[in-house]
Each structure stands twice: as structure tokens, then as C-alpha cells.
Amino acid sequence: QDALLSAMREAHPHLWVRAAEPKIVTWEDTSVVYTSASGLRKRTDERDHLVNVEMRDNARRIGEAAALGDLSENSEYKFALEERDLLRARLAQINNELSIARILDASEVSTSRVDIGTRITLRDCTTGETRMMTILGPFDANLEAGIYNYKAPVCQKVLGRRVGERVTIAIAGQDAEYEITEIANGLIG
């Protein structure tokens, strides 16, 4: 058996070569939601508020509406039950996101290309104006502070690119061509 197996390996080596599994880039991995530690705290606080405040208020409203009598024609009761269902769905979504959340560490962020956790400087190729974008997770997004969700379409167009590359993206509702002039670690500082 061993001699036959060796002869087959020698004659047909391609049968023993395993195809490398395709590497999924971080921003395409749907089994993980990347976030900063502060983003995770923010989302956890949002869940706690939902459970401890909003759902309790809703339960109180359901009780008050039920006390009004005839439930078949009680619009407050029906509305409160619909709201309860929406709150439960939102809670399930948040819990799912928290269960797959992964905190980014500043030491893991590579600045060789645009990736989650990087801060990039874009130069408008027509006007020369520069704009900074920090690319983090959905829990961290804050457009006023220039922090974008890596799942947003504008980020999907720049992820994976390197300094010097140009990309046409819509920022503030205007399509423009931008050049990536700098990539830095967005979790430092």
C-alpha cells in the first residue's frame, strides 16, 4: 500500500495539493463587527438603556392601556404591543451585533493600505482641499467628527487602497476625485 501510494504521489502530485482558502479581507468578513473599545461601550450602553428604560416604559404603557378595558378596540394597547415588538427586534439586533463584536487594538492597525482603524487624508484633485476620514466600525460612526462606518459605501470605495491612489467618491453629496495622500493609525491619539 505504501509503495502504491508513493507511486501515485510521484505520478500525480497535483492530487495532493490543497487549494489555499481565499483570504477574506477584514471589511468583507460578515461574521465580525469591528469596533473600538469606546464604540463597544457606547453600543452596550445603548442596549442597557433600551432594556432598563425604554422596555420598562413600554411595559408600563401596556399595563395602563390594558387597564382601560376592552382590548379589542383599544388603540393604545395595540400601539404599545407593536412598540414592544419593535423594541424586542431592536434588542435582538443589538445583542447579535455585540455577540460578534471584536475590539480593534491600535497595534493591529496596518498603515500600508486603507483598512479598518486607519485615518486617511484625502486631497480633492480639482480644488486641492484636504479632508480627513477615520474608518471605524458602525458603533463608532460620527460624521461630525469625521468618523465613518467601514460598511458605508464611501468607505467601501477607499478600503484596500494605498497612498497615491485616486478614487471617485461622493462626500457631502458631491462626486469628486480624491487622492489618498496619507494613511495613519486612527486609534492612536
Side-chain angles (χ1 to χ4, degrees):
Q1 268 184 320
D2 291 338
L4 182 59
L5 190 57
S6 294
M8 286 179 64
R9 280 189 182 171
E10 217 174 283
H12 305 284
H14 63 281
L15 295 176
W16 276 262
V17 175
R18 284 189 174 176
E21 289 190 26
K23 186 172 187 230
I24 297 176
V25 288
T26 54
W27 58 87
E28 292 177 350
D29 188 355
T30 57
S31 67
V32 178
V33 174
Y34 292 94
T35 185
S36 67
S38 64
L40 185 64
R41 270 192 310 278
K42 181 176 148 188
R43 193 64 164 178
T44 302
D45 290 346
E46 182 183 344
R47 182 207 46 207
D48 293 345
H49 181 268
L50 178 68
V51 170
N52 297 323
V53 177
E54 293 181 46
M55 292 181 93
R56 285 185 182 190
D57 286 347
N58 176 256
R60 182 185 45 74
R61 283 192 301 277
I62 290 172
E64 289 171 357
L68 296 175
D70 190 10
L71 299 181
S72 64
E73 295 180 17
N74 189 333
S75 62
E76 289 89 7
Y77 182 75
K78 289 178 182 177
F79 177 74
L81 288 179
E82 287 176 11
E83 183 185 24
R84 179 196 62 195
D85 293 342
L86 291 172
L87 290 171
R88 285 180 176 174
R90 190 165 143 220
L91 177 62
Q93 177 190 2
I94 291 172
N95 281 334
N96 180 55
E97 290 172 344
L98 289 173
S99 73
I100 61 174
R102 181 173 177 276
I103 295 176
L104 287 168
D105 186 65
S107 64
E108 297 173 324
V109 177
S110 170
T111 56
S112 63
R113 65 180 180 158
V114 180
D115 202 347
I116 303 169
T118 57
R119 179 175 37 253
I120 61 173
T121 304
L122 299 168
R123 184 183 58 80
D124 188 319
C125 295
T126 12
T127 65
E129 293 179 27
T130 60
R131 169 184 296 267
M132 291 181 75
M133 287 176 62
T134 302
I135 301 172
L136 289 173
F139 309 158
D140 301 286
N142 180 347
L143 296 181
E144 290 80 32
I147 301 171
Y148 290 77
N149 175 358
Y150 69 88
K151 295 179 179 187
V154 69
C155 291
Q156 292 294 309
K157 289 188 175 186
V158 297
L159 285 165
R161 300 196 183 253
R162 300 183 187 282
V163 171
E165 288 190 48
R166 292 181 176 203
V167 61
T168 301
I169 53 177
I171 296 180
Q174 298 271 332
D175 273 353
E177 185 177 30
Y178 291 89
E179 179 182 352
I180 299 169
T181 58
E182 183 183 358
I183 301 173
N185 191 325
L187 296 175
I188 297 175

